[in-house]
Amino acid sequence: MSMAQQAEPAATTPPAPGPDRQKDGRTARRPLALRLLARPEVGVFLGAVAVLVFFLFAAPPVRDGSSMANILYQSSTIGIMALPVALLMIGGEFDLSAGVAVVTSALTASMLSYQLTLNVWMGVIVALVVSLAVGFFNGWMLVKTGLPSFLVTLGTFLILQGVNLAVTKLVTGNVATDSIADMDGFDQAKALFASSFEVGGVQVKITVIWWLVFAALATWVLLRTKYGNWIFAVGGNKESARAVGVPVTFTKISLFMLVGLGAWFVGMHNLFSFNTVQSGEGVGQELIYIAAAVIGGCLLTGGYGSAIGPVFGAFMFGMVQQGIVYAGWNPDWFKAFLGVMLLGAVLINLWVQRTATRR
């Protein structure tokens, strides 16, 4: 026998995989339950169902169609803002100025239209530019200075809060803007941002439809586009994302501008619903938006979450806020419920994440 023949390995036939053969964690298919738990929206969906069932029994008026329409409306005004806030959190940042930015947008449109006697659509367009500029400023400051988004947006929050009150008093002589209900373009703008339509004899606000449309669009962006991959990448590890060619600066700034876009839309809804704006409003709403995103499965550390989860998170907020009223309880308990829901969601999300990644 030659040396070459001695060195040649013997041909072997791999054994057929049997039912008792062990698979390691890299190749084994995880059970369906674990794969479902890996979805960030599953926990909040179950929580939303539980809250709904609870109030259906605890507050009988909730069963009425008009009551449910009010709950959906309340949820939609939170949910529209919670969506861009959630995308920003998946991208690894959050925005403390989102609440007052809504009021800034509404004040801009109202005062510009009224004081200059312009068509209200001019105010709407300028307000959009201002809202996007605020978002751009937050994102630009973040990427240029390297400061945490907490500090950058806290500064913006304080600036906008002061400007809202000071400029409104300076221009109108009051803490609220004048009514624009009789101005040109008001009816058309109200139809887009604050109208209602009838379903089965129940009046439903147009914001409910916009909320669902925006949620579907955000889900498609996250799961089916390159931009969605960029959001997850910069939220997971921005240096690694930059190393593989992800435009980190563009992604971060654009996410803050999306929050500005959401603030503009909700601000326009508030303006055309009530015809006037109180300059001191909006403080504290940013925490509601962030909490709805967290309850919806978004991690504060970034890189994980969905757009569907915050929809259920916002619904839980609307359900609890209106359900307490329909049950005849003291509405002061809402904030206590909010705290319990937030802590519970964080603990559930932590358990879900550990369970879903366990081999």
Side-chain angles (χ1 to χ4, degrees):
M1 181 181 293
S2 67
M3 294 296 293
Q5 290 174 318
Q6 291 178 343
E8 183 177 305
T12 59
T13 302
D20 298 331
R21 188 179 180 189
Q22 295 291 330
K23 296 182 179 180
D24 63 25
R26 294 169 297 177
T27 59
R29 185 174 180 83
R30 294 186 302 169
L32 177 61
L34 289 183
R35 282 183 281 139
L36 287 176
L37 284 176
R39 298 297 308 163
E41 62 272 7
V42 171
V44 66
F45 169 73
L46 297 176
V49 171
V51 170
L52 174 61
V53 171
F54 172 78
F55 278 107
L56 285 175
F57 286 96
V62 170
R63 305 168 195 169
D64 186 67
S66 60
S67 300
M68 187 56 64
N70 287 334
I71 290 169
L72 289 175
Y73 168 61
Q74 189 69 35
S75 303
S76 68
T77 57
I78 297 171
I80 290 174
M81 272 300 293
L83 286 169
V85 168
L87 296 183
L88 180 64
M89 290 179 63
I90 296 172
E93 312 294 345
F94 60 95
D95 191 344
L96 291 177
S97 67
V100 291
V102 170
V103 180
T104 299
S105 178
L107 289 171
T108 300
S110 179
M111 288 189 291
L112 185 74
S113 300
Y114 186 87
Q115 302 303 324
L116 299 181
T117 61
L118 300 173
N119 188 294
V120 296
W121 283 104
M122 292 300 298
V124 169
I125 293 171
V126 173
L128 174 59
V129 174
V130 170
S131 296
L132 293 177
V134 171
F136 177 85
F137 173 79
N138 284 335
W140 181 83
M141 283 290 292
L142 177 84
V143 299
K144 291 300 180 183
T145 64
L147 292 172
S149 55
F150 172 83
L151 293 177
V152 172
T153 59
L154 177 60
T156 307
F157 162 80
L158 295 173
I159 292 170
L160 293 180
Q161 184 182 8
V163 168
N164 288 349
L165 184 59
V167 173
T168 304
K169 281 186 174 181
L170 179 65
V171 173
T172 69
N174 203 341
V175 296
T177 61
D178 299 288
S179 175
I180 61 170
D182 59 348
M183 299 191 66
D184 292 339
F186 180 86
D187 292 335
Q188 294 86 350
K190 183 180 178 68
L192 178 63
F193 294 106
S195 61
S196 301
F197 59 95
E198 188 172 309
V199 177
V202 176
Q203 291 294 317
V204 180
K205 286 286 189 178
I206 193 66
T207 51
V208 176
I209 300 300
W210 284 120
W211 176 37
L212 299 178
V213 169
F214 293 154
L217 181 60
T219 300
W220 176 77
V221 168
L222 272 181
L223 302 181
R224 292 290 183 263
T225 69
K226 184 184 297 185
Y227 183 71
N229 292 333
W230 293 349
I231 294 175
F232 282 108
V234 299
N237 189 317
K238 66 178 181 180
E239 298 304 328
S240 297
R242 182 177 284 113
V244 297
V246 174
V248 174
T249 298
F250 167 79
T251 305
K252 294 277 189 181
I253 293 177
S254 62
L255 286 172
F256 277 102
M257 292 180 72
L258 281 177
V259 175
L261 180 63
W264 167 77
F265 192 94
V266 176
M268 295 305 97
H269 166 71
N270 292 342
L271 173 60
F272 293 107
S273 290
F274 306 108
N275 310 333
T276 183
V277 186
Q278 294 286 335
S279 59
E281 293 182 346
V283 178
Q285 282 297 111
E286 65 283 342
L287 299 180
I288 301 292
Y289 305 144
I290 292 172
V294 172
I295 290 174
C298 298
L299 299 182
L300 291 173
T301 52
Y304 184 83
S306 72
I308 296 297
V311 172
F312 296 123
F315 175 76
M316 288 179 67
F317 272 75
M319 185 76 252
V320 172
Q321 193 168 17
Q322 295 298 312
I324 288 175
V325 176
Y326 290 134
W329 302 340
N330 187 340
D332 294 338
W333 285 102
F334 170 67
K335 290 296 177 68
F337 273 84
L338 173 61
V340 172
M341 285 166 50
L342 181 59
L343 288 176
V346 171
L347 293 175
I348 291 173
N349 290 342
L350 180 62
W351 175 80
V352 166
Q353 187 183 28
R354 290 177 175 175
T355 303
T357 56
R358 187 182 302 150
R359 292 182 177 179

